[in-house]
Amino acid sequence: MENLGRGSDPSPGGGGEMAPDRRPPGPLPYEGVWRFTAPAIDASVPQARHAVRDLLARQGVPVSDDLVQGLLLIVSELVTNAVRHAALLSPMLAVEVAVGAEWVRVSVEDNHPYRPTALEADHGQTGGRGLLLVREVTRESGGVCDVEHTASGGKVIWAALPLTPSVV
């Protein structure tokens, strides 16, 4: 698999370049892209969360505890949304973790064609705030998130967070 983890651009294309004086001479030991698939069932939510946590630790990614917790919350919410809203048209989902020199990106892909929207849930509801949570955690970390259509007609929802905390 092509290593899309290089560069300073966290978008799925990974096309950004670092300034030449800041670029390490080669990939850092923790850089790379990892992807796994799972059935669109409830049990996949904690499995995806644990897989991402274990991957970050195993690769030695320099992430703070706060950043790990934010990433795990994002993964949980995105996989939950795929399970709840896309499973009928997409019985499998894919989770990808891409780590660059300066950022980490998590994404969840399914084959459901409709782009999700973050709804303002009323305070009496117990659910419906997942995408708002993803957007807020991403923003507070100084990251970016987006939804893109795939070539197969599905979608990928991703969030990229900087490895070093942003100064707000």
Side-chain angles (χ1 to χ4, degrees):
M1 177 179 290
E2 181 182 1
N3 182 352
L4 300 178
R6 296 290 298 148
S8 59
D9 182 4
S11 67
E17 294 297 322
M18 292 175 67
D21 58 325
R22 292 185 54 201
R23 179 180 291 268
L28 295 170
Y30 57 82
E31 289 185 86
V33 178
W34 298 267
R35 183 178 175 92
F36 60 91
T37 58
I41 60 173
D42 289 336
S44 294
V45 177
Q47 289 172 349
R49 189 174 51 246
H50 295 301
V52 170
R53 182 199 62 215
D54 294 347
L55 172 70
L56 295 171
R58 185 176 62 246
Q59 291 305 122
V61 179
V63 289
S64 68
D65 288 341
D66 287 344
L67 186 63
V68 170
Q69 293 308 312
L71 286 167
L72 297 181
L73 177 62
I74 290 168
V75 167
S76 292
E77 293 299 332
L78 296 182
V79 172
T80 296
N81 283 350
V83 168
R84 288 196 179 148
H85 304 294
L88 186 61
L89 294 177
S90 182
M92 295 296 289
L93 58 91
V95 177
E96 185 174 279
V97 179
V99 182
E102 300 175 354
W103 50 266
V104 60
R105 182 185 71 235
V106 293
S107 62
V108 174
E109 181 179 337
D110 63 57
N111 289 323
H112 196 288
Y114 298 115
R115 184 181 179 109
T117 56
L119 303 174
E120 295 292 336
D122 95 29
H123 296 292
Q125 286 183 302
T126 58
R129 295 181 182 93
L131 289 177
L132 291 172
L133 213 59
V134 167
R135 193 169 32 191
E136 187 61 21
V137 168
T138 301
R139 185 192 65 75
E140 284 182 3
S141 298
V144 293
C145 60
D146 202 1
V147 179
E148 298 177 358
H149 290 287
T150 63
S152 65
K155 65 183 167 305
V156 60
I157 306 173
W158 59 270
L161 308 179
L163 288 176
T164 55
S166 64
V167 178
V168 183

